[in-house]
Amino acid sequence: MNFEEIQKRAKAQWLDLEGRTHIKIGAATCGRAAGALEVLQAFEEGLSRRGIDVPVIQVGCIGLCYAEPLVIISKPNSYRIVYHNITPELVSRLIDGYVEGEDPCLELALGTLEIDERGFPSIPELPRFAYEYRLILRNCGYIDPTNISHYLANGGYLALRKALRMDPNEIIQEVSKSGLRGRGGAGFPTGVKWEQCHKAPGGVKYVICNGDEGDPGAFMDRVILESDPHQVIEGMIIAGYTVGAQKGYIYIRAEYPLALDRVKEALREAERVGILGKNILESDFHFRIGIVQGAGAFVSGEATALVEAVEGKRSEPRVRPPRLSEKGLWGAPTLLNNVKTFSYIPIIINRGSDAFSSIGTEKSKGTAVFTLAGKVNYPGLTEVPMGTTLRTLVYEIAGGMKNGKQFKAVQIGGPSGGCIPESLLDIPIDYDSLQGAGSMMGSGGMIFMDEEDCAVDTARFFLDFTTKESCGKCTMCRLGTLQLLSLLEEICSGKADMEDLLLLRELAEDVKMGSLCGLGRSAPNPVLTTIRYFEEEYQAHIIEKRCPALVCKDLIAFYILPEKCDRACEHCILVCPTEAIKGGKGEIKVIDQGKCSKCGTCLEVCPKEYNAVKKISPIRKLSKDGGEMEGPASV
């Protein structure tokens, strides 16, 4: 069967689905964690009991993770309505109300799903979609990722057919003109990398897709692999044709079981219709893709360490040169790109380099996909044009800070990124602007922090992660990060002095300069940016021995205000795990500071009408006789 016939059948299947009432349920990992499979079962059972023949389809993640489980009910000649936070108990209401009847159940609706003028699915009722530009997320949450017909019917593999009729040099020129830079974090020009691998001598070459994604709080690649794996596969096949490779590998961490299943199914489907394997789309080009499961090491995300892992070795970075494009997997020239980078390739080939380069900034073209995690109202996933400001992301897309708290900082680029403060909220998000602020684009993870987060403790948290994830190959990373962590722990516990702060800054710069790979070179970024933008917090920890954010346990205390304590109440005594609270019925309760573990349970259970328990940060003061005394900063 030729491609035209395959595509014709796919479109017919898609039009048949769109021409009848059907239900789509967001069943990616985030949806499943919120109960999507239970909702799916409730729909199937409810429809069966009523004798209603309506397809129920699992789709991926549309990016609105805070609203999961999401359900989309489409009716011909009517609205496609998106319902949010659906539970099995609400399913009967939706079936009776909108599947069978004409009641749209607006009290459960998030909005309507429409295709905008750019051809992207959007929910016009949500203002955030006006700021987004969904190129590689266009199918996520809209098509069935396990059904290749859905991808084909929405323009899938047209770019591959076009590319197979082009000269490889033409493709490289098109990718270079687009201005696409690697979305794995380094931002290296994609066209340059492809040209280097294309020109490298050798009869055997490889293409590798980096789907490791080890950053805490990052899940962009996972969502794409779970929701629209075929666009990644299409990009890899085009890359293989361009550089002269016949074998590719997708490296996915084992902690992503659903992504692994979805990619395996997509590869089987692609081979079944002749898009993978021998004589792809009736050409003389052969290409196959295998899957390698990662063991979860963060350093495996580094390109050369990933190649070591694919070869079955310990994940340790190689010394460069030679580059991977010259000597990579099993000594052969290798092209390695990120999941998102490969996803952009079909778009560039289909729409042209000019269309892609018209989006973004002068040096950062196209869009960027970010995960929005932490203390924002609407955590999830977004795709915006390069150059969008942080302020737009925080307040227009992520919905501002939770509970009306004050924005403090955002950690961009995972543990290797840097903390950007409120004063820089109006900088554009692109490679150069973030680098100038001491951070980096990274893979796209964003963790938002409010006034209750401690800058010093944040740096300590990320250093603890990178220290444990260091492969230990080079001294500056193995020992340098460990010493940085030790200094941060001393500061957090109030045991450091100002010389330690000076040493912390100097050592961070040394580790950055002396490490072999990107892990060590970027590990000091959280330290350097928090010192740069929040030095007064470091000084408070060191000089005043207090934590302004009331986070560092060694620098906080819990007190019970006598005038507010209800003598008959014993909530705090009953829950204290260390029996640190004294006072019987009819007596004012008192916390023994020597026994207090500072767990905060007493604060949580104290009735709000009393509000008697307070968390404070003591300040060490000099007593009248010159000795040290400890007392509360404020009560």
Side-chain angles (χ1 to χ4, degrees):
M1 190 186 305
N2 59 33
F3 181 75
E4 285 73 17
E5 184 62 29
I6 293 170
Q7 192 179 46
K8 182 180 178 180
R9 291 191 179 187
K11 285 184 177 179
Q13 186 184 116
W14 178 260
L15 289 174
D16 176 66
L17 176 69
E18 290 293 294
R20 59 187 297 201
T21 299
H22 62 277
I23 301 166
K24 294 177 181 176
I25 298 177
T29 295
C30 51
R32 294 183 178 208
L37 294 185
E38 291 77 7
V39 172
L40 173 70
Q41 182 180 358
F43 265 107
E44 290 176 341
E45 292 176 353
L47 293 168
S48 177
R49 281 196 306 269
R50 293 167 174 82
I52 303 172
D53 181 21
V54 170
V56 182
I57 301 161
Q58 295 187 47
V59 295
C61 174
I62 202 171
L64 310 178
C65 301
Y66 67 94
E68 297 284 2
L70 283 165
V71 173
I72 303 170
I73 300 179
S74 299
K75 298 181 70 172
N77 303 316
S78 188
Y79 296 105
R80 285 181 286 199
I81 302 179
V82 183
Y83 298 96
H84 64 107
N85 303 116
I86 298 303
T87 62
E89 293 72 27
L90 296 171
V91 168
S92 291
R93 169 83 178 99
L94 292 175
I95 294 176
D96 296 336
Y98 196 52
V99 176
E100 278 199 293
E102 298 300 324
D103 177 6
C105 305
L106 294 179
E107 74 279 8
L108 303 176
L110 191 65
T112 55
L113 183 69
E114 298 180 9
I115 306 299
D116 65 20
E117 66 278 3
R118 299 167 298 186
F120 306 148
S122 67
I123 304 174
E125 290 84 356
L126 298 184
R128 62 177 284 168
F129 279 87
Y131 299 94
E132 296 196 54
Y133 201 99
R134 296 191 166 214
L135 286 177
I136 58 177
L137 297 184
R138 67 194 181 281
N139 291 330
C140 296
Y142 182 60
I143 67 169
D144 179 356
T146 65
N147 189 338
I148 193 172
S149 294
H150 284 204
Y151 184 68
L152 287 163
N154 286 276
Y157 292 109
L158 286 175
L160 174 60
R161 184 180 65 170
K162 182 178 179 181
L164 291 174
R165 297 170 180 174
M166 296 170 66
D167 183 81
N169 288 302
E170 290 182 71
I171 298 173
I172 292 171
Q173 184 179 8
E174 198 70 7
V175 173
S176 298
K177 281 175 60 182
S178 74
L180 176 64
R181 296 170 66 172
R183 294 301 197 259
F188 190 79
T190 304
V192 173
K193 183 182 284 190
W194 283 35
E195 185 173 20
Q196 289 172 349
C197 191
H198 171 70
K199 290 183 176 179
V204 176
K205 297 180 182 180
Y206 296 98
V207 172
I208 298 179
C209 175
N210 181 355
D212 183 60
E213 194 170 53
D215 293 3
F219 48 90
M220 305 78 55
D221 294 351
R222 172 178 62 76
V223 166
I224 292 170
L225 292 172
E226 290 177 354
S227 306
D228 192 13
H230 282 286
Q231 68 174 334
V232 184
I233 294 169
E234 185 174 11
M236 289 184 68
I237 301 172
I238 293 171
Y241 170 75
T242 304
V243 303
Q246 293 189 2
K247 181 68 177 179
Y249 293 95
I250 304 179
Y251 185 92
I252 308 173
R253 54 179 40 225
E255 292 93 333
Y256 286 175
L258 183 60
L260 283 162
D261 289 344
R262 294 274 168 88
V263 172
K264 287 176 184 176
E265 178 61 26
L267 291 174
R268 283 193 292 267
E269 285 279 274
E271 289 208 27
R272 180 179 62 81
V273 300
I275 286 171
L276 271 177
K278 291 185 176 181
N279 303 114
I280 291 175
L281 298 185
E282 301 178 312
S283 70
D284 58 358
F285 174 57
H286 315 311
F287 193 75
R288 295 187 183 277
I289 297 175
I291 296 176
V292 178
Q293 293 189 37
F298 179 62
V299 72
S300 296
E302 197 275 339
T304 58
L306 188 150
V307 168
E308 292 283 297
V310 174
E311 291 181 354
K313 302 174 185 174
R314 178 186 174 92
S315 293
E316 288 186 344
R318 299 176 181 177
V319 177
R320 288 179 282 184
R323 301 183 184 93
L324 291 181
S325 56
E326 300 165 347
K327 187 178 180 181
L329 188 63
W330 293 300
T334 301
L335 175 69
L336 189 148
N337 281 129
N338 175 263
V339 166
K340 297 183 290 295
T341 310
F342 281 123
S343 296
Y344 281 113
I345 297 302
I347 297 167
I348 292 170
I349 299 301
N350 260 338
R351 304 189 182 198
S353 57
D354 291 342
F356 185 84
S357 63
S358 66
I359 309 165
T361 65
E362 182 181 354
K363 294 183 179 179
S364 300
K365 302 296 185 181
T367 61
V369 182
F370 294 106
T371 53
L372 311 173
K375 297 181 177 179
V376 287
N377 284 311
Y378 304 140
L381 196 71
T382 186
E383 183 176 5
V384 295
M386 287 280 194
T388 301
T389 65
L390 278 170
R391 187 178 300 278
T392 298
L393 269 177
V394 176
Y395 293 104
E396 305 300 337
I397 296 176
M401 307 304 292
K402 277 186 178 179
N403 303 317
K405 298 290 185 180
Q406 180 71 29
F407 172 89
K408 181 171 186 174
V410 56
Q411 174 81 3
I412 302 178
S416 302
C419 288
I420 305 298
E422 185 181 23
S423 60
L424 296 181
L425 273 178
D426 291 312
I427 69 168
I429 303 171
D430 58 50
Y431 291 99
D432 302 306
S433 298
L434 290 178
Q435 188 174 0
S439 186
M440 59 188 291
M441 181 74 71
S443 60
M446 287 190 177
I447 300 177
F448 297 94
M449 293 168 275
D450 65 19
E451 60 202 68
E452 294 182 348
D453 289 295
C454 172
V456 185
D457 182 69
T458 297
R460 181 206 59 77
F461 171 82
F462 286 114
L463 251 295
D464 180 66
F465 177 83
T466 49
T467 298
K468 291 173 180 174
E469 292 294 335
S470 171
C471 73
K473 184 171 184 176
C474 61
T475 304
M476 288 306 296
C477 182
R478 181 180 70 251
L479 299 180
T481 56
L482 188 63
Q483 186 59 35
L484 286 173
L485 177 61
S486 177
L487 287 168
L488 286 167
E489 288 173 341
E490 291 286 293
I491 295 172
C492 286
S493 62
K495 298 175 183 177
D497 55 36
M498 290 303 291
E499 287 187 3
D500 291 322
L501 181 59
L502 180 63
L503 177 60
L504 182 71
R505 197 192 313 254
E506 291 177 349
L507 181 58
E509 293 288 358
D510 290 341
V511 172
K512 196 171 185 177
M513 293 292 293
S515 295
L516 174 62
C517 82
L519 190 154
R521 288 197 294 267
S522 59
N525 283 340
V527 178
L528 292 170
T529 51
T530 50
I531 294 176
R532 178 176 173 180
Y533 299 118
F534 302 99
E535 188 169 0
E536 70 281 357
E537 283 197 39
Y538 280 86
Q539 292 175 352
H541 284 69
I542 294 170
I543 299 172
E544 300 175 0
K545 309 301 180 188
R546 68 183 182 91
C547 176
L550 303 177
V551 170
C552 299
K553 279 194 172 184
D554 290 328
L555 302 180
I556 63 172
F558 290 86
Y559 285 85
I560 296 176
L561 303 180
E563 67 275 16
K564 291 193 174 185
C565 179
D566 178 44
R567 301 186 180 195
C569 172
E570 293 190 333
H571 286 73
C572 56
I573 291 179
L574 293 173
V575 300
C576 180
T578 60
E579 299 183 350
I581 303 176
K582 306 300 180 185
K585 272 196 175 181
E587 296 178 350
I588 294 173
K589 311 305 181 287
V590 178
I591 299 177
D592 183 341
Q593 298 299 323
K595 290 185 177 181
C596 180
S597 63
K598 301 173 185 178
C599 65
T601 308
C602 56
L603 179 62
E604 294 174 7
V605 302
C606 183
K608 292 183 179 179
E609 61 265 29
Y610 304 137
N611 197 24
V613 181
K614 295 294 180 184
K615 180 168 67 169
I616 63 172
S617 186
I619 300 179
R620 297 192 179 277
K621 303 176 182 178
L622 291 177
S623 62
K624 291 182 180 179
D625 60 1
E628 277 194 343
M629 60 177 281
E630 188 173 298
S634 62
V635 176

